[in-house]
Amino acid sequence: MPELDEAAPRLTHGEAQAIMDLEHHHTSGAYAKRPLAIVRGEGIWLWDAQGRRFMDMTSGQGVALVGHSHPAVLEAVKRQAEILITCPEIFYNDRRGEVYAALSRYTPDGLNRFFLCNSGAEAVEGALKFARLQTGRPGIVAAKSGFHGRTLGALSATWNPRYRRGFGPLLPEVTHIPFNDLRAAEAAIDATTAAVILEVVQGEGGVVMAEQGFLEGVRQACEQHGALLILDEIQTGLGRTGRRFAAEHFSVTPDMLCLGKGLAGGLPIGAVIWRDSLGKWSPGSHGSTNGGDPRAWAAAAATRGLRESGLAEHAARVGEKFLADLRELEQPMIRELRGLGLMIGIDLRKRVTPVLKALMERGVLALPAGPTVLRLLPPLIVSEDQLGEVHDAILEALELSQDE
Ligand SMILES: Cc1ncc(COP(=O)(O)O)c(C=O)c1O
């Protein structure tokens, strides 16, 4: 059972239900909701309205890389909000340039131009638009099972028919090739291709890693045909896979990089980053009112120091140990274990929904990735002991939901 926190404010079951009923009455319906009213977060922990404490192995869908409400992030946001709460990019700002400069020392070689926005999908939109504009070509090559967001351009690159159904016609000239099929990629990339967009590890698609040789081959094919390689590291970037960027596992440098999720320690953000030689937008050709928000960048600057103090290495070490421990057990309900760093997929021989429910009842929140994959995206600050507890909870949940 999730632990009851005696010190936390506690509502009755009925009062907690009233919170959910009110939201349910007005919500868009876009989300499959879980029956939990979350009221507080700190580190790897979340509390619900009834004072129950949960281990957040979702990081709020990959956002809380440095944990929930990290004091350095809070302090930076508070200070920035007191000085200047908003400042669109039509003006210069004393902090924004500093943050760009610092981040460009962290991003892959030579990627030093930034377009800032507010979400991952917006970053993908920006990258696709920029690629078409700069190359003067229409074609986009993406991968089957790839996920790039749900706005119309990003959705055109996203593959799963479940997300696309009912929204057509989507962007023309988008081709989906099987992930890891280099021959298919080489056949699809030609003189009409503006860009190839790929995840390095497909997150929503089931935690599926790029195979050795695939990204390298796509990189070459892009160079051969003058197409741009866009890597969507919105989920895999910033230490998640045990390196600063997942592409480093393959020594591949993209032409453009999309970031989002944890870049600003929990505040909404998205970024497209590319190298100088590709050129720039002309004024008015793209934009976003809140892009480059000072609070988001103050938070991004605060998390940068935390990220660079060994978080990626920690993620690599504890993630590998977690997978090795699970592998040793040879649990018959586990078909395959996949992962890099703290991006972990447990492919089950059964549907994942009852396992997620049983885990929640044991105080652990996790994510699905498709119908049978249990996905863990813990905050990168999670300790080896805490992951040990998650390991035990998963085994219990699997045994308990065996017959469902
Ligand atoms: C790889 C990838 N790209 C794009 C997105 C879209 O990001 P957002 O939900 O912030 O629009 C996601 C979100 O999960 C993602 O995992």
Side-chain angles (χ1 to χ4, degrees), residues 61 63 118-124 146-151 154 158 199 201-204 232-236 258 260-261 269 343 375:
Q61 295 193 320
V63 171
N118 308 288
S119 70
E122 257 186 272
V124 170
F147 183 86
H148 301 287
R150 292 174 164 96
T151 51
T158 290
E199 295 159 275
V201 183
Q202 292 188 324
E204 295 290 316
D232 175 347
E233 294 237 28
I234 288 163
Q235 191 165 144
T236 54
C258 295
K261 292 206 187 274
I269 197 163
M343 183 166 181
R375 181 173 37 149

Side-chain angles (χ1 to χ4, degrees), residues 56-78:
D56 181 17
M57 295 296 109
T58 77
S59 302
Q61 295 193 320
V63 171
L65 286 178
V66 297
H68 291 273
S69 296
H70 193 288
V73 175
L74 299 188
E75 182 53 32
V77 173
K78 180 171 175 288

Side-chain angles (χ1 to χ4, degrees), residues 1-348:
M1 284 295 282
E3 242 174 68
L4 256 189
D5 184 343
E6 298 299 336
R10 281 163 62 179
L11 301 184
T12 62
H13 177 74
E15 288 165 331
Q17 189 59 48
I19 293 175
M20 293 188 265
D21 288 347
L22 180 61
E23 192 174 323
H24 194 68
H25 191 67
H26 294 285
T27 192
S28 66
Y31 300 92
K33 283 176 172 295
R34 304 187 191 187
L36 272 188
I38 298 296
V39 294
R40 189 161 84 82
E42 189 183 316
I44 71 150
W45 300 101
L46 290 174
W47 283 260
D48 80 348
Q50 292 171 265
R52 296 177 300 181
R53 195 174 77 147
F54 296 83
M55 285 178 137
D56 181 17
M57 295 296 109
T58 77
S59 302
Q61 295 193 320
V63 171
L65 286 178
V66 297
H68 291 273
S69 296
H70 193 288
V73 175
L74 299 188
E75 182 53 32
V77 173
K78 180 171 175 288
R79 211 166 343 117
Q80 182 58 54
E82 281 167 356
I83 298 168
L84 180 67
I85 203 163
T86 187
C87 180
E89 281 221 40
I90 56 168
F91 301 112
Y92 291 96
N93 169 253
D94 55 344
R95 298 282 292 121
R96 201 186 285 131
E98 280 175 22
V99 176
Y100 288 160
L103 196 64
S104 68
R105 289 193 287 277
Y106 181 79
T107 48
D109 271 357
L111 300 198
N112 57 8
R113 286 236 168 247
F114 295 84
F115 176 80
L116 306 175
C117 49
N118 308 288
S119 70
E122 257 186 272
V124 170
E125 292 291 332
L128 297 179
K129 279 181 72 179
F130 187 80
R132 280 189 163 176
L133 190 70
Q134 296 312 94
T135 61
R137 302 172 178 186
I140 305 291
V141 176
K144 291 189 177 173
S145 300
F147 183 86
H148 301 287
R150 292 174 164 96
T151 51
L152 282 173
L155 188 61
S156 306
T158 290
W159 174 77
N160 193 331
R162 192 164 72 86
Y163 299 131
R164 296 162 64 94
R165 200 169 297 126
F167 298 113
L170 297 175
L171 282 186
E173 317 251 357
V174 179
T175 310
H176 287 94
I177 52 133
F179 191 52
N180 282 326
D181 185 339
L182 181 55
R183 280 220 181 145
E186 286 168 342
I189 301 167
D190 60 23
T192 67
T193 309
V196 178
I197 181 165
L198 294 170
E199 295 159 275
V200 180
V201 183
Q202 292 188 324
E204 295 290 316
V207 190
V208 178
M209 277 170 281
E211 284 168 11
Q212 205 70 42
F214 176 64
L215 288 179
E216 298 90 320
V218 171
R219 169 76 276 179
Q220 264 185 8
C222 284
E223 272 161 32
Q224 196 183 335
H225 295 282
L228 302 179
L229 176 62
I230 304 170
L231 288 184
D232 175 347
E233 294 237 28
I234 288 163
Q235 191 165 144
T236 54
L238 308 167
R240 165 65 62 201
T241 69
R243 298 275 181 93
R244 286 179 306 175
F245 298 99
E248 289 175 23
H249 293 280
F250 302 91
S251 307
V252 166
T253 305
D255 298 300
M256 304 180 80
L257 180 68
C258 295
L259 297 180
K261 292 206 187 274
L263 180 58
L267 271 75
I269 197 163
V272 195
I273 310 166
W274 65 94
R275 61 186 152 74
D276 240 0
S277 57
L278 292 182
K280 296 192 284 183
W281 293 103
S282 56
S285 50
H286 198 52
S288 162
T289 303
N290 279 312
D293 177 88
R295 290 158 298 176
W297 279 100
T303 55
R304 191 178 61 83
L306 301 168
R307 273 199 308 271
E308 289 173 20
S309 61
L311 263 193
E313 293 77 4
H314 172 78
R317 189 177 61 75
V318 297
E320 202 169 302
K321 165 121 186 21
F322 179 84
L323 276 177
D325 287 350
L326 261 187
R327 208 161 265 137
E328 216 167 83
L329 284 173
E330 295 181 8
Q331 219 288 350
M333 262 196 276
I334 298 179
R335 190 195 337 255
E336 192 179 24
L337 286 163
R338 300 190 284 269
L340 261 184
L342 284 173
M343 183 166 181
I344 292 166
I346 304 172
D347 195 352
L348 304 174

